[in-house]
């Protein structure tokens, strides 16, 4: 594949990191637990990977069920201070008992955070959540007002997300970042957006590209071209050199020559290795970005820790991915077949970041 050669120094570094990753897989020390506490959402975003709806027929998981698993099946095996619990959705603020959930998790010694679109995060709600122990927040902002509102399909979405960011800034104890799903319409405006975020006091910014899952699967216009993808990565690399802002590409996809230059580490898929999730229906899986059925058990008929220790083979041994486009790829040693969220139910690769980088070179 043209343009895909790696320098000797980077190959050596990637080889060392691959060895370290194998050790991490063998240890599979849990450090992040996502609780998909709801699939309800107050938006109808074009790019939603989980196809969440405000009228979803999937009921929220009762808080008591999650706490039972935490108390009986996780806490005896971990140091709670070393496991971050992230409330995710849907939109987590749809739950009226989110503050209670936060207090209970905090009382058990776990730090917790949340991912939100910011639509319902006013100053009063934020104050209650901080009182309940909130430690980290990620707010979605996909561009300027026109682009963001078009993506989120709500005329007030940009305004309220920005208001949420301003409210969060008033709590210096909160770690927060802005996450942006980059479309072609925004690629060349990223420098302009960086200046806007800096003026709002944002110092950490994560950029994502959109992969074909959920609603995004039906709208190919949301995906970047190879040229746009490279432009985005070049922007991130340049911003990181300026040190004005902590800009990084999402933890998905092997990026060839860009490895260790657009994020703080070489690529690795931590799903099922150090990251687990409890889905809204009780399913036990890796990170919540995985929409295909790679569930390893269910809290309603399995014990979480037994599942974590004894299953997750598809996550921890990726040799089964060495098929199709991956079969003869020389980069497999480094990418291990890519993120689990980029595989469909049959194990077919839906999106390859490495191929996207070089297919038009």
């Amino acid at each position: 594949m043209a343009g895909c050669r790696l320098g000797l120094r980077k190959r050596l570094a990637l080889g060392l990191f691959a060895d370290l990753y194998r050790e991490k897989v063998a240890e599979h020390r849990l450090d992040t637990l996502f609780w998909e506490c709801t699939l309800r959402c107050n938006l109808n975003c074009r790019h939603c990977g989980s196809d969440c709806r405000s009228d979803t027929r999937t009921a929220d998981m009762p808080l008591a069920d999650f706490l039972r698993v935490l108390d009986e099946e996780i806490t005896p095996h971990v140091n709670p201070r070393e496991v971050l619990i992230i409330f995710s959705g849907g939109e987590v603020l749809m739950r009226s008992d989110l503050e209670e959930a936060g207090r209970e998790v905090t009382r058990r010694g776990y730090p917790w955070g949340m991912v939100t679109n910011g639509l319902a995060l006013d100053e009063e709600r934020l104050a209650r959540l901080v009182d309940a122990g909130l430690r980290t927040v990620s707010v979605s902002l996909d561009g300027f007002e026109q682009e963001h509102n078009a993506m989120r399909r709500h005329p007030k979405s940009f305004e309220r997300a920005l208001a949420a960011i301003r409210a969060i800034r008033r709590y210096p104890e909160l770690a927060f970042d802005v996450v942006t799903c980059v479309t072609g319409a925004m690629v060349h405006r990223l420098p302009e957006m960086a200046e806007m975020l800096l003026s709002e006091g944002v110092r950490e910014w994560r950029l994502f590209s959109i992969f074909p899952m959920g609603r995004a699967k039906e709208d190919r216009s949301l995906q970047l071209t190879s040229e746009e993808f490279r432009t985005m990565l070049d922007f991130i690399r340049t911003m990181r050199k300026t040190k004005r802002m902590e800009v990084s590409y999402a933890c998905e996809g092997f990026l060839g020559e860009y490895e260790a230059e657009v994020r703080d580490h070489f690529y690795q898929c931590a799903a099922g290795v150090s990251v687990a999730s409890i889905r809204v229906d009780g399913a036990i899986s890796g990170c919540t970005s995985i929409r295909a059925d790679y569930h390893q058990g269910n809290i309603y008929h399995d014990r979480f820790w037994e599942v974590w220790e004894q299953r997750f083979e598809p996550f921890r041994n990726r040799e089964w991915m060495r098929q199709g486009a991956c079969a003869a790829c020389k980069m497999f040693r480094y990418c291990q077949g890519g993120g689990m969220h980029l595989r469909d139910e049959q194990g077919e690769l839906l999106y390859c970041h490495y191929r996207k980088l070089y297919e038009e070179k």
Side-chain angles (χ1 to χ4, degrees):
M1 187 180 292
C4 63
R5 290 189 297 273
L6 296 173
L8 177 60
R9 181 177 296 180
K10 184 154 289 187
R11 281 187 178 274
L12 289 173
L14 282 165
L16 289 172
F17 186 80
D19 293 339
L20 291 172
Y21 180 66
R22 279 196 293 272
E23 294 177 8
K24 186 174 182 178
V25 170
E27 183 184 14
H28 52 268
R29 179 175 178 268
L30 182 67
D31 61 29
T32 305
L33 176 65
F34 285 88
W35 179 35
E36 187 182 59
C37 59
T38 184
L39 282 183
R40 292 181 293 144
C41 191
N42 48 14
L43 290 177
N44 183 33
C45 304
R46 291 174 59 201
H47 60 313
C48 181
S50 52
D51 202 18
C52 300
R53 304 177 188 277
S54 59
D55 62 346
T56 179
R57 296 178 182 178
T58 304
D60 294 353
M61 177 181 288
L63 174 59
D65 293 357
F66 176 69
L67 294 177
R68 174 189 60 79
V69 175
L70 206 59
D71 289 341
E72 298 176 8
E73 302 173 27
I74 298 178
T75 300
H77 304 281
V78 303
N79 180 345
R81 293 190 297 274
E82 296 176 355
V83 179
L84 175 65
I85 296 179
I86 300 177
F87 298 168
S88 71
E91 170 52 48
V92 295
L93 296 175
M94 297 290 284
R95 286 192 68 125
S96 60
D97 65 347
L98 197 63
E99 290 88 341
E100 180 187 356
R103 283 193 299 271
E104 290 298 327
V105 166
T106 299
R107 187 168 65 82
R108 288 159 170 80
Y110 291 91
W112 68 276
M114 68 180 187
V115 182
T116 178
N117 60 40
L119 190 67
L121 189 61
D122 58 25
E123 293 183 8
E124 293 77 12
R125 188 86 193 267
L126 178 60
R128 295 198 302 270
L129 291 167
V130 171
D131 286 343
L134 178 66
R135 299 273 288 277
T136 72
V137 190
S138 292
V139 180
S140 298
L141 195 69
D142 294 329
F144 295 101
E145 186 167 15
Q146 179 178 344
E147 292 81 9
H148 179 86
N149 288 347
M151 181 73 77
R152 300 285 168 169
R153 292 171 171 165
H154 193 291
K156 297 290 186 181
S157 180
F158 177 85
E159 172 188 317
R160 294 183 185 175
L162 198 56
I165 290 168
R166 290 168 177 167
I168 291 167
R169 278 189 54 209
R170 299 190 183 102
Y171 293 89
E173 68 271 29
L174 282 180
F176 85 97
D177 66 357
V178 168
V179 296
T180 298
C181 291
V182 181
T183 58
M186 280 303 301
V187 166
H188 296 288
R189 301 192 69 187
L190 290 175
E192 186 183 350
M193 188 171 176
E195 295 304 320
M196 184 268 285
L197 292 176
L198 282 165
S199 72
E200 294 291 345
V202 176
R203 292 296 179 267
E204 294 190 28
W205 187 21
R206 280 183 294 150
L207 305 183
F208 290 72
S209 46
I210 298 170
F211 56 92
M213 274 291 197
R215 292 178 204 145
K217 186 176 182 179
E218 308 305 320
D219 189 351
R220 294 281 175 172
S221 69
L222 296 175
Q223 294 179 37
L224 300 177
T225 66
S226 292
E227 181 180 358
E228 290 167 341
F229 189 36
R230 289 193 297 270
T231 297
M232 178 187 66
L233 294 179
D234 287 336
F235 162 77
I236 296 172
R237 182 160 57 183
T238 299
M239 283 295 296
R240 289 173 67 86
K241 289 177 180 177
T242 70
K243 300 187 183 301
R244 297 177 64 210
M245 176 189 271
E246 290 292 327
V247 185
S248 62
Y249 184 64
C251 56
E252 57 172 38
F254 177 73
L255 303 173
E257 65 192 86
Y258 290 94
E259 280 299 313
E261 296 181 27
V262 294
R263 50 194 169 208
D264 294 337
H265 52 79
F266 289 112
Y267 169 73
Q268 59 177 315
C269 180
V273 176
S274 60
V275 176
S277 68
I278 296 176
R279 311 306 287 261
V280 71
D281 62 354
I284 302 168
S285 188
C287 78
T288 51
S289 293
I290 301 168
R291 306 316 306 182
D293 184 2
Y294 288 101
H295 307 331
Q296 301 301 295
N298 192 292
I299 65 167
Y300 292 113
H301 51 72
D302 298 297
R303 294 190 63 80
F304 178 93
W305 201 255
E306 290 179 3
V307 172
W308 178 251
E309 284 295 310
Q310 300 173 13
R311 302 187 194 177
F312 280 88
E313 179 70 10
F315 293 81
R316 297 171 187 166
N317 182 352
R318 304 294 184 88
E319 283 300 311
W320 64 271
M321 291 185 176
R322 202 187 286 269
Q323 57 179 303
C326 297
C329 181
K330 294 179 180 179
M331 297 297 118
F332 189 90
R333 178 188 176 192
Y334 310 130
C335 78
Q336 291 291 300
M340 290 288 289
H341 66 295
L342 301 176
R343 298 276 168 171
D344 67 12
E345 302 279 356
Q346 289 72 46
E348 294 296 323
L349 184 64
L350 299 172
Y351 186 98
C352 175
H353 293 73
Y354 187 68
R355 177 173 292 182
K356 172 66 72 173
L357 273 174
Y358 301 109
E359 64 184 1
E360 293 180 3
K361 273 196 171 186

